[in-house]
Amino acid sequence: MTGLRGVGKTVLLNEMERMATKEGYRTISIEAHENKSLALLLIPQLRRLLFELDRMAGAGNKVRRGLAVLKSFIRGIRISVEGYEIGLDIDPEQGAADSGDLEIDMPNLFLAVAEAADERQTPVAILIDEIQYLRPPELSALIMAMHKMQQQQLPLVLVGAGLPILPGLAGESKSYAERLFSFPDIGPLSETESILAVKEPIETAGEIIDDSALQEIFRLTKGYPYFLQEWGYQAWNQAEQSPITAAIVRETTNLVERRLDENFFRVRFNRLTPREKTYLRAMAELGAGPCRTADIADTLGMKMNSVGPVRSSLIKKGMIYSPSHGDMAFTVPLFNEFMKRAIPEFPPIH
Ligand SMILES: Nc1ncnc2c1ncn2[C@@H]1O[C@H](COP(=O)(O)OP(=O)(O)OP(=O)(O)O)[C@@H](O)[C@H]1O
Ligand SMILES: [Mg+2]
């Protein structure tokens, strides 16, 4: 699932994990991170999974082999062993997943784990949030591993969520990924869905909200789940009795915008360097939607190649992404409007 900030990807991922558990899956849930390798995130979870499988009834030696291959994998990535001891009296399986090349080792590790799960007749779901933080070699190792799962028809599935990644994938990885996965786009809710999202919980609580109030909330939030949550919450608190009216929604709007500015937007803004702020301000000048990188450079009065570094640091920070070649867009809904509030004058006066 790919989509902008605050559209509900993590909420959906958690719901899917709940559904998978209910269906008898064992789940592994991790959040990718700028400064932490995928291998380090996976190891303790796979270790736990293999121990769980080990405790389940069933014959065969695939689980023990899984642990031996995991041990070999740990050796391959040469991390300090402290804290990642497998514990059991198992020797690493030499050569199984210790080449040091993630694109070879990760598929082999997944194969051993999935065969163990298969032997215990237990499906496994791996859920990875913030998938855009995976480095290209990690992403391609993961894609190769899932390709193996599909070829061998093993019971291991992957669900990811994050900012759009496909445009950033190159070559073979990309064509594999396009065949192996589907990439549902999670966007804002429609007007009907937005209205339902606010109205239903209010009516369940035995209170009433006017249609005009619901329409006003939709107009202000443009259907973005996080904003619906904020406006709904504040309107509910502000109203002294039913019905919640459009006037009440309007009264809360200043408060909501101030809270959003201070929390949702400002925390991101504060992590930016002055040059990054100026780049985003130029983007805001060009509107809400995707814009051409060339136009941004023009707006800044700079050459394309001199804005390259600031653009990549903004992508790394997850502030902008490339929806298609040569285009840039904000990852945070309505950030363009916030940038204009934060820096009213453009170009900035020196
Ligand atoms: N189905 C839902 N029901 C109620 N609230 C929701 C739902 N989906 C999303 N929200 C609201 O939107 C907020 C953001 O959702 P979530 O954290 O899942 O977004 P996200 O897409 O993971 O964003 P990010 O990219 O910043 O991680 C939630 O905290 C909640 O307030
Ligand atoms: Mg999230």
Side-chain angles (χ1 to χ4, degrees), residues 19 36 47 73 84 89 95 120 132 139 172 229 234 237 253 276 282 297 345:
M19 289 163 74
K36 204 156 182 196
R47 178 178 176 274
F73 181 77
Y84 293 101
D89 53 343
R120 291 287 185 269
Q132 77 280 357
L139 204 49
E172 213 171 324
Q229 177 88 40
Q234 293 298 345
N237 282 349
T253 291
E276 290 168 349
E345 293 288 339

Side-chain angles (χ1 to χ4, degrees), residues 76 98-107:
D98 53 7
S99 76
D101 179 346
L102 208 57
E103 289 189 4
I104 296 168
D105 294 346
M106 195 173 290

Side-chain angles (χ1 to χ4, degrees), residues 1-15 31 129-130 132 161-163 186 189 197 201 224-230 264 268 318 331-333:
M1 298 174 284
T2 60
L4 302 186
R5 294 282 173 205
V7 290
K9 300 182 294 295
T10 302
V11 167
L12 287 168
L13 208 58
N14 291 340
E15 181 65 12
E31 187 178 324
D129 203 359
E130 302 288 350
Q132 77 280 357
L163 302 174
I186 312 298
L189 301 180
Y224 282 103
Y226 182 74
F227 300 144
L228 285 168
Q229 177 88 40
E230 272 300 314
F264 193 63
R268 296 181 155 87
T331 60
V332 180

Side-chain angles (χ1 to χ4, degrees), residues 26-45:
R26 297 282 158 156
T27 63
I28 284 181
S29 165
I30 61 180
E31 187 178 324
H33 194 273
E34 269 171 294
N35 310 316
K36 204 156 182 196
S37 79
L38 175 62
L40 275 187
L41 291 165
L42 276 173
I43 288 166
Q45 298 267 11

Side-chain angles (χ1 to χ4, degrees), residues 14-245:
N14 291 340
E15 181 65 12
M16 285 177 200
E17 182 173 20
R18 205 189 54 75
M19 289 163 74
T21 307
K22 215 171 138 200
E23 295 289 323
Y25 282 74
R26 297 282 158 156
T27 63
I28 284 181
S29 165
I30 61 180
E31 187 178 324
H33 194 273
E34 269 171 294
N35 310 316
K36 204 156 182 196
S37 79
L38 175 62
L40 275 187
L41 291 165
L42 276 173
I43 288 166
Q45 298 267 11
L46 290 173
R47 178 178 176 274
R48 173 189 54 79
L49 172 75
L50 287 164
F51 282 153
E52 279 176 20
L53 293 172
D54 196 40
R55 283 195 295 272
M56 291 170 74
N61 56 9
K62 294 264 166 61
V63 178
R64 297 212 128 220
R65 169 157 199 271
L67 285 162
V69 174
L70 180 59
K71 241 180 165 171
S72 149
F73 181 77
I74 292 172
R75 175 179 284 191
I77 60 169
R78 288 189 199 87
I79 50 161
S80 72
V81 197
E82 213 186 333
Y84 293 101
E85 270 304 343
I86 293 297
L88 289 182
D89 53 343
I90 283 178
D91 290 326
E93 187 178 308
Q94 296 282 353
D98 53 7
S99 76
D101 179 346
L102 208 57
E103 289 189 4
I104 296 168
D105 294 346
M106 195 173 290
N108 285 339
L109 175 62
F110 272 42
L111 212 53
V113 170
E115 280 174 353
D118 195 34
E119 195 181 73
R120 291 287 185 269
Q121 300 195 345
T122 302
V124 173
I126 299 184
L127 303 110
I128 307 183
D129 203 359
E130 302 288 350
I131 205 151
Q132 77 280 357
Y133 285 135
L134 298 181
R135 292 152 199 74
E138 294 175 332
L139 204 49
S140 96
L142 196 59
I143 291 164
M144 314 276 250
M146 292 315 296
H147 187 220
K148 272 254 160 58
M149 300 298 97
Q150 190 207 37
Q151 282 176 331
Q152 315 260 337
Q153 295 290 297
L154 287 166
L156 189 152
V157 298
L158 174 70
V159 187
L163 302 174
I165 48 164
L166 249 196
L169 279 179
E172 213 171 324
S173 280
K174 185 165 184 159
S175 66
Y176 264 135
E178 276 168 344
R179 274 180 283 128
L180 271 178
F181 305 111
S182 57
F183 288 86
D185 183 34
I186 312 298
L189 301 180
S190 67
E191 181 164 359
T192 317
E193 291 163 339
S194 301
I195 286 176
L196 202 64
V198 178
K199 187 176 171 157
E200 212 176 57
I202 290 173
E203 291 185 348
T204 307
E207 304 295 338
I208 299 166
I209 179 164
D210 285 347
D211 286 344
S212 57
L214 289 165
Q215 261 144 24
E216 180 66 2
I217 289 179
F218 177 69
R219 189 183 68 81
L220 292 161
T221 60
K222 302 191 170 69
Y224 282 103
Y226 182 74
F227 300 144
L228 285 168
Q229 177 88 40
E230 272 300 314
W231 257 283
Y233 173 71
Q234 293 298 345
W236 172 270
N237 282 349
Q238 182 81 13
E240 281 169 13
Q241 63 197 42
S242 283
I244 298 172
T245 61

